Amino acid sequence: MIQLLPEPKVVQEYGAVTKRFKHLWLKLEDEETISEEWIELARERFWNYKEIGINKEKREELFVVLSPSLEDVEEQDAKLFKEQGYDLEIQKEKVVLRYETKIGFINGLTSLKQMLERQQEAFVLPTCHITDWPSLEVRAIAQTFSWYAGYGRFGFDSQLWGYDEWKQYLNICLDNKINQFNLVMYGYWPFELNDYPETVFRNVPIKIWNAENRRWLTVRYTHPNLEEPFLAKFIEMAHKFGVKIFAYVGLNSYNGGFTIKHPEARMKPPKNSDFMNDFDSLCLSYPGNVDYIIESMKQIARLGFDGYTLEESEEGFWFCECEECSKKWHAISETPGEAKHKANMWLLKQIYNSVREINPNAVIGIRAFRQPPLEKDPEFLKECVASMPEDIMLFWAPGLYVPEGEFEKWCDAFGRDRIWARDTESNSITSTMGRLYRTFKSNVIRYEDEANEQVIETDIRQHKGSVKMGVHGINGFMFEWYGLFMHLFAHGNYGWGSQMENEEFYRRACRQNFGDLGDTVLYVMKNMVTIHESQIPLYTTPFPFQKNKMMQEDIPAILEAKQNHENILSKIKMLQKEAYTNEKLRPWLPHFDKLENAERRNAVIYDMVLAALAYEKEVDPERKEQLLDEILYYNEQDFDIVKEMFFDINPVIETGVGSCMFPYHEMKRLIHNIRNPEEKDENVISSGVEAFGWLWL
C-alpha cells in the first residue's frame, strides 16, 4: 500500500518499484533546461534527503520529466486542481510530474519525496499513478511566536526558536502540505516598535534555575527575533514555497506590553466586581490608546505579513465602565457584551482602513462572537455579519460543546468562502497543561466526565466537517510542537480532504514519519496517562480545562498506569537513542526528550494523587499532616523534573495577577492555607491567564 499523507485523492498502484537510484535528474519534457530557481526549490524540498543529488550527477539517476500542464487530466475541482494540484506517474525507468503552477510542482515533488524507500545503498519509489489536489484552499496552523508574553509566561517551545528551527519547522509543515502560518503574538511584541519601546520583548527579567548551586538566578531575556532578527528572512522563505504568514493578534487584548506598562490605560471594570482579567484590554476612550493599537497593526503590515487574525476576547460579561465608554457604548447597548462587541467592531474598522493603506491586499479576519450562549440565534448571527465589512473573514466557527448543525448555521450566515477556521484547539489546551502530555482521549482518566472535548479526535471531526461544508480553509492550533506532532499531521491530512478513519491515520502517520519505529511511537503516545496536578481534590483553585477531579474510584486506573510506567519509559528511552544515532530521525529527538520528561513527571504525579486521595479519606489528624508532607514532597519532585528541561517556570506577576503554567506554586499556597487558616496567603497563582476568561465553562 502507498504510504503517503496527506492522503491523495486518486491512486492507482502498479505493484512494483522503480529501478534503484541515488540521484534525481529533473528535466522539462521538451528538453528545455529547467531553471536554477526550480532546481533549488527541489533541493530544498529534499531537506531531509541531502544524500540524494538533484541535477548534480548524471549517473545512477532517475529521470523526473516535468510537464507544466494539466489540461488532459480529469479532476473534480478544476480551480484547486489547477492552483495546487499535480499528476504523478511513476514508472520503472522514469517519473512524469504534471502541474499548472509552482505550488503544484512543489506539492507533487513533496509527494514523490514522501514515498522514498531505501533499498541497500540506494532508493526506490513505488510504481503508481497519483492525481491529487486539496479539498480546501487554505490549510493553516497557528504557531506561537510570543504567546501571553509578559501576561502569563515569557518563553516556551517555538517562542524560543531562531531562524534554523523555524526553517526546519516550515519544511515539516510543507511535507504535510500546510500553506499558511498564523503566528500567535500576544504580549510583548517580538519585533521593533520604535514609538513604543516599552512594549517590545527585550531585556525582560526572569528567574531561571541554577542546578549547580540549587538557587534561582535573575537573567534578562530577549525574544530571538530581536537578538538576531530573522522574521523578514523567514517570511521571504515561506513565500518562496507559497506559504502565507499571518499575524494572530488580539483585537483589543494582549496587544504588546502596553497594558502591563500603563495600567492606567486599561479598561475600567465594574466597581466591586470579582473580575480578574482587567489587565489585557485598553480603554478605547483613554487618550493615545487607539493610536497605539493602530500603530502596532500598521507595523505588522510593514513587516510583510500577508494578513491578520484579530481575536475578540471571549469575555462578554463586562466592558469598560469609564464615563466616556459608558456614554459612547453602554448607552446604545442592552448588555456589557453587546457594548464590548460594538466598540470592537468600531475598532476593527479603524484597523481595517489603516492596514489597507499600507497593504491593500492584506487579508483581515476576526475570531469573534464566542461568548455565551454557545448556540446562537440566527438573528444574532445576521447582526454579526452586518456589523463587519464584507471582505473581513471569519477565523473561528464553532465545533466544541455544540452539535455539528451549529457550524452549518454559521456557514449559512457568513458564507462558506468567509470561513477560514474552526476551534480545533486540542493542541492549544495541552499547552496550558504545564508541559505535560495529552493528545488522545486515552491519555485522560474518565475522559467522558471532562468539561470539554479538546482532544485530537475532536479536531479531526471538525476538519472533516469543514471539508464536507466546503469552506475556504482550516486552522490547526499548534501552540506547542515538541511531543505533540500528531496534531500537525492531522491538520495536514484532514485539511487536505482525507476522510480516513482515525486509527488508520494514526498508524500511517507514525509509519510515514518514524518508519519501523512507528508502532512504538504510537503505543507511547496512546498509552501515556496524564493527570494534571489541578485534578488533585485539595487543589481548589479553578482551572477550566481539567475539571475532572480524581476520586477514590479512579485508584485502580492510577495503579494500572503506574504499573505500565517503566514499560513506557523504556520505550521512550529507546526512541531517544534511535533518534540520536539516526540522522533521519534526529529532528524528532527533542520530541522524545519532552515525552521522557513528561512521563517521568507522570509517575511522580500518580504518587501525589494517591497521597491526596488518602488524605481525603483519612480522619486521624497526625496522619493527615504526614500525608500533606508527602504531597509537598512529590510536588517538589515533580518540579525538580520540570527544572531539568524548562526555564519559564515561575509565576509572572507583571500584570498584578499571578499566573504560572505549572501548578507547583499554587499547590504550595493551598497547602499552606490548609495548615494556616488564620494566616492565609490570598495571592492566587492561576494556572495560566486562560483561566480568567474561560471560567464560564
Side-chain angles (χ1 to χ4, degrees):
M1 178 182 291
I2 296 291
Q3 285 287 332
L4 177 60
L5 295 176
E7 183 183 17
K9 292 287 191 297
V10 182
V11 179
Q12 182 182 3
E13 299 187 43
Y14 298 151
V17 295
T18 62
K19 68 177 185 179
R20 286 201 295 269
F21 61 91
K22 294 183 178 180
H23 310 287
L24 293 173
W25 193 273
L26 277 58
K27 65 175 186 176
L28 291 167
E29 61 182 343
D30 56 8
E31 300 300 326
E32 287 183 23
T33 305
I34 186 172
S35 73
E36 191 61 35
E37 176 193 355
W38 282 48
I39 292 173
E40 189 57 34
L41 283 174
R43 288 172 181 162
E44 291 187 23
R45 275 290 57 232
F46 278 67
W47 66 278
N48 51 345
Y49 284 92
K50 296 294 187 186
E51 66 271 37
I52 295 180
I54 296 178
N55 286 44
K56 285 191 173 181
E57 296 185 51
K58 224 171 183 181
R59 61 182 182 82
E60 297 183 282
E61 85 288 350
L62 181 70
F63 282 106
V64 180
V65 180
L66 306 179
S67 176
S69 173
L70 292 170
E71 274 194 21
D72 300 328
V73 184
E74 293 184 8
E75 82 294 319
Q76 297 175 26
D77 188 325
K79 181 177 183 294
L80 288 179
F81 183 52
K82 289 186 176 180
E83 289 177 353
Q84 300 186 40
Y86 62 93
D87 185 81
L88 192 60
E89 172 81 16
I90 302 178
Q91 303 169 1
K92 185 173 179 61
E93 298 294 330
K94 70 174 183 179
V95 174
V96 178
L97 173 58
R98 304 182 68 183
Y99 52 86
E100 289 274 350
T101 66
K102 182 174 76 169
I103 304 306
F105 165 74
I106 290 169
N107 285 333
L109 204 64
T110 295
S111 291
L112 187 148
K113 184 193 75 164
Q114 296 293 77
M115 291 187 289
L116 284 169
E117 299 174 18
R118 186 176 289 277
Q119 195 174 96
Q120 297 175 356
E121 297 300 312
F123 292 90
V124 296
L125 288 162
T127 56
C128 61
H129 188 178
I130 295 174
T131 305
D132 197 17
W133 65 94
S135 294
L136 303 179
E137 185 168 333
V138 171
R139 289 87 54 204
I141 49 95
Q143 196 75 35
T144 51
F145 206 65
S146 58
W147 191 50
Y148 291 132
Y151 291 93
R153 47 177 45 173
F154 287 114
F156 72 105
D157 206 82
S158 55
Q159 298 185 177
L160 305 174
W161 295 351
Y163 176 75
D164 290 342
E165 290 84 4
W166 278 104
K167 181 179 178 181
Q168 182 188 84
Y169 184 66
L170 173 65
N171 273 314
I172 294 172
C173 287
L174 286 166
D175 288 346
N176 289 276
K177 299 188 172 77
I178 296 295
N179 65 351
Q180 183 170 301
F181 281 24
N182 300 322
L183 293 183
V184 186
M185 297 184 289
Y186 283 8
Y188 287 118
W189 293 124
F191 51 77
E192 300 288 358
L193 192 61
N194 293 333
D195 292 341
Y196 303 93
E198 74 276 22
T199 69
V200 174
F201 201 170
R202 177 180 282 114
N203 293 332
V204 179
I206 182 173
K207 289 184 180 297
I208 64 170
W209 181 248
N210 173 18
E212 181 180 0
N213 295 307
R214 293 194 64 80
R215 68 184 299 268
W216 297 99
L217 296 177
T218 299
V219 298
R220 291 188 170 268
Y221 176 67
T222 297
H223 191 278
N225 184 55
L226 291 162
E227 287 280 6
E228 297 179 10
F230 62 84
L231 186 56
K233 184 180 177 183
F234 176 70
I235 292 175
E236 182 182 5
M237 165 68 76
H239 285 170
K240 185 162 69 170
F241 290 95
V243 176
K244 299 291 181 64
I245 306 296
F246 279 48
Y248 193 128
V249 293
L251 178 62
N252 178 22
S253 59
Y254 305 116
N255 279 329
F258 200 84
T259 58
I260 298 172
K261 298 301 184 183
H262 304 283
E264 72 283 356
R266 298 174 184 173
M267 284 191 188
K268 307 304 182 289
K271 293 178 181 178
N272 303 317
S273 72
D274 294 326
F275 293 115
M276 300 180 72
N277 57 332
D278 62 346
F279 51 77
D280 65 319
S281 300
L282 291 165
C283 167
L284 296 182
S285 302
Y286 194 85
N289 282 358
V290 173
D291 292 339
Y292 162 72
I293 293 172
I294 296 298
E295 177 57 26
S296 299
M297 299 303 166
K298 289 168 71 174
Q299 178 65 358
I300 288 169
R302 296 185 194 106
L303 290 169
F305 283 84
D306 299 292
Y308 298 75
T309 304
L310 298 163
E311 177 160 4
E312 180 184 36
S313 173
E314 70 282 345
E315 177 61 77
F317 301 106
W318 71 276
F319 180 63
C320 183
E321 294 201 357
C322 77
E323 184 176 351
E324 287 301 313
C325 284
S326 295
K327 289 178 184 177
K328 192 170 184 179
W329 307 115
H330 286 277
I332 60 171
S333 307
E334 294 184 6
T335 65
E338 186 181 336
K340 182 172 190 174
H341 178 65
K342 287 178 178 176
N344 281 341
M345 290 303 100
W346 173 83
L347 177 62
L348 175 63
K349 289 169 185 174
Q350 315 309 306
I351 294 171
Y352 175 93
N353 292 331
S354 299
V355 164
R356 286 287 172 84
E357 288 179 6
I358 297 172
N359 180 2
N361 298 317
V363 176
I364 299 176
I366 188 170
R367 180 181 181 184
F369 323 123
R370 297 182 295 150
Q371 69 275 14
L374 297 172
E375 295 187 48
K376 310 297 188 190
D377 186 310
E379 284 302 312
F380 170 80
L381 292 178
K382 190 175 179 181
E383 292 171 8
C384 293
V385 173
S387 70
M388 302 188 303
E390 63 182 15
D391 60 343
I392 288 183
M393 305 301 150
L394 191 70
F395 274 79
W396 184 92
L400 292 172
Y401 329 115
V402 293
E404 192 70 6
E406 184 69 11
F407 174 57
E408 296 176 11
K409 189 193 301 180
W410 286 56
C411 288
D412 292 339
F414 288 91
R416 288 160 173 74
D417 288 345
R418 291 182 76 176
I419 294 181
W420 290 47
R422 294 181 74 182
D423 52 340
T424 45
E425 300 188 61
S426 65
N427 179 286
S428 63
I429 293 308
T430 297
S431 71
T432 72
M433 300 278 293
R435 321 313 292 278
L436 291 168
Y437 169 81
R438 190 181 94 164
T439 296
F440 303 98
K441 292 179 181 179
S442 59
N443 301 131
V444 182
I445 292 178
R446 232 177 342 103
Y447 169 77
E448 63 276 8
D449 291 342
E450 275 294 294
N452 61 63
E453 302 176 338
Q454 285 162 325
V455 285
I456 197 170
E457 292 92 338
T458 304
D459 284 2
I460 291 172
R461 172 180 63 78
Q462 292 191 76
H463 289 330
K464 287 180 176 179
S466 293
V467 170
K468 178 183 176 183
M469 294 302 292
V471 298
H472 186 81
I474 60 117
N475 172 62
F477 286 89
M478 287 299 303
F479 281 15
E480 288 195 37
W481 170 229
Y482 295 126
L484 301 172
F485 40 79
M486 189 62 76
H487 297 85
L488 179 66
F489 303 158
H491 301 325
N493 184 55
Y494 292 100
W496 189 259
S498 175
Q499 297 294 309
M500 188 183 296
E501 289 297 319
N502 290 24
E503 295 301 324
E504 176 65 12
F505 160 69
Y506 304 144
R507 188 188 66 78
R508 284 207 206 179
C510 285
R511 177 72 184 180
Q512 178 164 302
N513 289 280
F514 307 110
D516 293 339
L517 298 174
D519 289 344
T520 302
V521 173
L522 186 57
Y523 177 88
V524 166
M525 293 175 68
K526 295 206 77 173
N527 288 278
M528 284 178 69
V529 176
T530 294
I531 304 173
H532 190 244
E533 295 94 330
S534 69
Q535 291 179 270
I536 293 173
L538 62 79
Y539 196 100
T540 53
T541 308
F543 183 57
F545 304 116
Q546 203 75 18
K547 291 184 176 180
N548 186 9
K549 293 289 186 183
M550 292 294 97
M551 304 187 300
Q552 301 295 327
E553 292 81 356
D554 296 318
I555 290 176
I558 298 169
L559 292 175
E560 184 179 350
K562 187 175 165 67
Q563 189 174 14
N564 197 31
H565 164 68
E566 287 299 333
N567 175 41
I568 288 178
L569 190 61
S570 66
K571 285 178 166 56
I572 295 173
K573 288 184 177 296
M574 180 272 287
L575 293 171
Q576 287 175 297
K577 181 179 178 182
E578 291 293 326
Y580 183 82
T581 56
N582 184 336
E583 187 178 357
K584 283 286 182 293
L585 293 173
R586 188 71 57 79
W588 303 105
L589 181 57
H591 297 264
F592 300 144
D593 288 345
K594 184 179 175 186
L595 292 178
E596 189 235 8
N597 186 273
E599 178 57 22
R600 286 168 56 213
R601 287 179 60 200
N602 281 344
V604 174
I605 294 171
Y606 299 154
D607 288 335
M608 190 193 304
V609 175
L610 292 172
L613 290 172
Y615 173 84
E616 293 294 310
K617 283 185 67 177
E618 187 59 61
V619 294
D620 178 56
E622 185 175 343
R623 178 57 183 152
K624 285 180 83 74
E625 284 296 311
Q626 292 173 348
L627 286 166
L628 287 178
D629 282 339
E630 275 192 47
I631 296 167
L632 287 171
Y633 169 73
Y634 291 127
N635 196 39
E636 292 294 338
Q637 274 201 321
D638 179 18
F639 203 53
D640 279 344
I641 300 171
V642 165
K643 287 183 286 192
E644 291 177 19
M645 176 164 280
F646 309 110
F647 84 102
D648 183 9
I649 58 179
N650 281 316
V652 176
I653 57 174
E654 277 200 280
T655 65
V657 179
S659 175
C660 182
M661 295 296 177
F662 295 92
Y664 163 81
H665 310 278
E666 181 65 0
M667 184 75 75
K668 289 174 66 177
R669 187 189 75 87
L670 291 167
I671 291 178
H672 166 85
N673 288 350
I674 290 172
R675 286 178 156 170
N676 302 278
E678 305 303 320
E679 300 177 11
K680 283 190 174 182
D681 178 357
E682 302 293 352
N683 296 310
V684 174
I685 303 167
S686 168
S687 292
V689 295
E690 298 92 334
F692 302 131
W694 285 81
L695 290 180
W696 51 268
L697 284 177

